[in-house]
Amino acid sequence: LRYTFVSDVEKFTDDYFRTIKEFAKKNYEVIRVKNTFKDGATYKGVNTLVKNKEGVIFELQYHTPQSLSIKENELHKLYEKQRILDKENDKTKWDILNNKMIELCKRIQNPIGVERIK
């Protein structure tokens, strides 16, 4: 299961921590956090794995409207092309796609205070 939470860049970090607190109140456990809102990234978002009290694990992705739009459109197309390549045997093609993804992600504004999410 995968869910997506979308919040504006100004409120993103506060909304993330508010959501984590609500999970804790309901005895949900965040078991993994991956924050890729960093300069030079090929994908920008926060991906978490959350386990509910029954033990079911689901993914919750956190995005801004801009990061979600780029991810679901141009970025996904490039990712689909890259993931079928062998990184060593198709290195030139793989690197070209990687650089295109980085360039796309440069257009995404990092949310205020996002570096606090670890």
Side-chain angles (χ1 to χ4, degrees):
L1 296 171
R2 179 181 8 182
Y3 300 96
T4 304
F5 181 95
V6 180
S7 181
D8 293 329
V9 291
E10 297 86 12
K11 300 184 299 180
F12 183 93
T13 302
D14 289 339
D15 286 346
Y16 168 83
F17 284 112
R18 208 173 359 264
T19 303
I20 297 302
K21 283 182 184 176
E22 287 301 316
F23 280 144
K25 286 180 189 176
K26 296 177 193 258
N27 293 317
Y28 283 37
E29 178 186 3
V30 178
I31 56 176
R32 188 191 84 193
V33 177
K34 186 175 180 183
N35 178 1
T36 56
F37 273 109
K38 297 179 171 99
D39 294 337
T42 57
Y43 166 88
K44 286 194 176 186
V46 173
N47 292 13
T48 60
L49 291 180
V50 181
K51 183 165 58 171
N52 70 15
K53 47 193 166 193
E54 288 81 30
V56 176
I57 297 173
F58 61 91
E59 179 181 10
L60 178 56
Q61 296 182 353
Y62 297 81
H63 281 282
T64 64
Q66 184 185 36
S67 70
L68 182 62
S69 176
I70 288 174
K71 173 202 155 214
E72 289 187 342
N73 293 296
E74 304 107 311
L75 195 61
H76 187 73
K77 292 172 189 170
L78 294 172
Y79 170 76
E80 287 298 324
K81 288 179 184 178
Q82 187 192 49
R83 76 183 191 101
I84 61 171
L85 297 175
D86 181 284
K87 191 174 179 177
E88 292 180 23
N89 293 330
D90 300 313
K91 183 163 178 35
T92 302
K93 290 178 186 175
W94 196 94
D95 286 344
I96 288 169
L97 291 168
N98 201 63
N99 289 335
K100 286 181 179 182
M101 289 189 286
I102 290 169
E103 286 303 311
L104 269 175
C105 286
K106 283 181 180 178
R107 297 183 354 213
I108 300 170
Q109 180 182 352
N110 291 341
I112 296 168
V114 76
E115 66 281 353
R116 295 184 358 235
I117 299 173
K118 297 177 187 202

